[in-house]
Amino acid sequence: MDGKIILASNSPRRKELLRGLEIPFEVRLISDIDESYPDEMVPTEIPVFLARKKAAAYLSSLKENELLITADTIVIIDNQVIGKPLDRDEAIRMLQQLSGSTHEVITGVVLTSSAKQVEFSDHSFVDFGELSLDEITHYVDTYCPYDKAGAYGIQEWIGYIGIQGIRGSFYNVMGLPVHKLYQELKAF
């Protein structure tokens, strides 16, 4: 693509993954974007809805030669959306809920230029083994689960000891489905 790519995310994981594609980009941030969604919304539609909402906040500042990437990742278990934990107790509860079960991770991505917008999502299923309370509290107290949907980073210690299997993209679980993103960027 000719022009500049803008990543609208402060996520260290998204920055790392986009750098891995060897595509030059810059980070642009707007704080306090409303990330609410209608209660009746189907959970699988939430990530693209939120990524579109984030893109709308940047639209007025987007220059003609810029392409904006916005994304949102959620975890779904038993048709319940699990976002980022607010505190230690909530992080522990979330990980206890994920322990010994399979959950779905969905990342919605929106590519926006002054001329058009493309949106897509990717779905991965993660099988967690049984985690003890000691393992969960060690992770919560040693790592930083508060900026991660589902209170965990698959690339961290808890992923090493807890993940039994994945169906779908590992990178999607990290927060950016880079294979799909690369294909969409080429087509854009």
Side-chain angles (χ1 to χ4, degrees):
M1 177 195 156
D2 294 333
K4 185 187 291 186
I5 293 184
I6 309 296
L7 177 64
S9 175
N10 201 28
S11 162
R13 292 156 304 281
R14 286 197 181 114
K15 290 184 234 179
E16 173 189 346
L17 291 171
L18 193 53
R19 269 194 300 274
L21 289 179
E22 298 182 5
I23 297 171
F25 68 95
E26 74 176 48
V27 173
R28 189 174 297 164
L29 299 173
I30 295 176
S31 58
D32 300 324
I33 296 175
D34 175 27
E35 293 191 31
S36 63
Y37 53 86
D39 291 337
E40 67 279 359
M41 182 169 273
V42 176
T44 56
E45 296 174 0
I46 293 169
V48 167
F49 175 85
L50 292 175
R52 197 180 316 116
K53 213 172 179 183
K54 291 174 183 179
Y58 288 85
L59 202 50
S60 64
S61 66
L62 207 55
K63 295 181 178 74
E64 194 171 309
N65 68 334
E66 293 179 331
L67 184 143
L68 179 73
I69 300 171
T70 53
D72 196 83
T73 302
I74 63 166
V75 169
I76 300 173
I77 186 166
D78 300 327
N79 211 35
Q80 175 190 354
V81 176
I82 299 179
K84 298 172 186 171
L86 298 174
D87 57 30
R88 181 180 187 272
D89 290 341
E90 189 174 28
I92 291 169
R93 277 194 304 275
M94 285 179 177
L95 290 169
Q96 286 175 316
Q97 187 176 5
L98 297 178
S99 173
S101 64
T102 298
H103 62 275
E104 184 176 11
V105 178
I106 305 172
T107 301
V109 180
V110 175
L111 306 178
T112 306
S113 72
S114 58
K116 69 177 181 174
Q117 191 170 66
V118 172
E119 53 190 53
F120 62 93
S121 63
D122 199 22
H123 301 244
S124 302
F125 295 87
V126 180
D127 301 320
F128 250 109
E130 290 288 339
L131 299 169
S132 71
L133 182 58
D134 285 344
E135 290 165 336
I136 290 171
T137 55
H138 167 75
Y139 176 74
V140 169
D141 293 342
T142 307
Y143 294 84
C144 186
Y146 306 108
D147 68 338
K148 297 169 183 75
Y152 78 94
I154 193 169
Q155 72 283 3
E156 295 174 336
W157 179 81
I158 201 155
Y160 299 162
I161 66 133
I163 305 294
Q164 291 181 322
I166 302 171
R167 288 173 306 289
S169 168
F170 173 87
Y171 300 109
N172 180 55
V173 180
M174 274 183 73
L176 198 61
V178 287
H179 175 76
K180 253 186 177 174
L181 174 61
Y182 183 73
Q183 300 306 319
E184 293 290 344
L185 286 171
K186 284 193 325 184
F188 200 88

